[in-house]
Amino acid sequence: MHIAPDETQGQAPAAARARDLRPSPSTWLLLRIWFVLGLQSFGGGAATLYLIRRAVVERHGWLSDDEFTRSWAVCQIAPGINLLGLTILIGWRLRRGGGIVAALAGLLLPSVVVTVVMTALYARLENLALVRAAVRGIVPATVGLGVLLALQMARPLLRDSRRESRASLAVSVALLLGSLAIAALTRVSVVWIIWIAGALGAVAHRRTRPPMRSEQR
């Protein structure tokens, strides 16, 4: 009896070929792009993460939505500063060791200089009413960017889950809302939330994934 090949088996090589066809940026281009990101990375982690995603996913197409989201998820389970971990991971994926050096140098050098200058200025001007009002205006803008970024990163996850099955989509939504509720209503460590969600997601994937066609004979 002829067995039709599993569609998911055909999608993996196609995705790999698509990645291979993407333009590989030079080390100098990476340094320039990340230097610009470092100059623009105002507003905290959410704003910086939004800028990184817009550069590598939307403008240059070096990573897909799904690849960026999964890279960020990997950085969540590693200790240290997540944005630096993401910078290292993206640099490695694009240009290996040279990409890491270029991405880190580009992101950190302007950020450090601007932060030192702004800290010195703020220490002198923090008591001015105009400065305090400006700081209060920055907070809602940063929150808005964080919400937008969360929606953009959740979209590929929910889309892929919906393609797999309704059960997989239900699990993803439950983990999303459950993690949000636990973080908001309890004092459980973020590390435990992430690790437990990952374990539950792995177990649920084995139970909800559609069977291979070869297994349905």
Side-chain angles (χ1 to χ4, degrees):
M1 180 177 62
H2 175 70
I3 303 298
D6 181 22
E7 294 179 359
T8 59
Q9 294 176 352
Q11 293 173 354
R17 288 194 298 270
R19 286 193 297 269
D20 293 338
L21 293 175
R22 292 176 191 168
S24 180
S26 66
T27 302
W28 288 110
L29 177 58
L30 279 180
L31 178 62
R32 181 172 65 84
I33 296 300
W34 286 92
F35 188 85
V36 173
L37 289 174
L39 286 175
Q40 297 178 352
S41 57
F42 297 91
T48 303
L49 184 60
Y50 174 79
L51 289 172
I52 294 174
R53 182 192 173 279
R54 188 171 64 176
V56 302
V57 175
E58 297 178 7
R59 288 186 175 176
H60 298 282
W62 293 330
L63 297 180
S64 67
D65 261 336
D66 184 65
E67 288 169 335
F68 184 86
T69 301
R70 293 183 188 279
S71 297
W72 180 241
V74 169
C75 294
Q76 299 303 299
I77 62 176
I81 302 175
N82 302 131
L83 283 175
L84 294 184
L86 180 65
T87 301
I88 292 171
L89 184 56
I90 293 175
W92 173 260
R93 295 186 66 167
L94 296 178
R95 294 294 297 183
R96 295 296 188 259
I100 293 176
V101 174
L104 280 178
L107 181 68
L108 294 179
L109 288 178
S111 300
V112 170
V113 173
V114 170
T115 300
V116 170
V117 173
M118 290 188 64
T119 301
L121 291 175
Y122 183 72
R124 294 175 176 270
L125 304 175
E126 62 178 327
N127 292 324
L128 296 179
L130 182 62
V131 173
R132 291 184 177 181
V135 172
R136 286 196 300 269
I138 291 173
V139 174
T142 304
V143 173
L145 286 174
V147 172
L148 174 61
L149 179 65
L151 293 175
Q152 289 177 336
M153 296 184 68
R155 183 175 56 194
L157 168 67
L158 298 178
R159 182 187 62 229
D160 292 344
S161 297
R162 184 176 58 186
R163 288 176 179 174
E164 290 178 2
S165 65
R166 291 183 178 178
S168 179
L169 176 61
V171 169
S172 296
V173 173
L175 288 174
L176 192 156
L177 297 179
S179 299
L180 176 63
I182 293 173
L185 302 177
T186 72
R187 295 185 178 181
V188 176
S189 171
V190 173
V191 175
W192 282 110
I193 295 176
I194 293 173
W195 280 99
I196 292 174
L200 291 176
V203 173
H205 174 73
R206 293 183 61 87
R207 293 180 176 274
T208 60
R209 65 177 181 176
M212 298 292 187
R213 294 188 179 181
S214 58
E215 296 175 357
Q216 295 176 346
R217 291 184 296 175

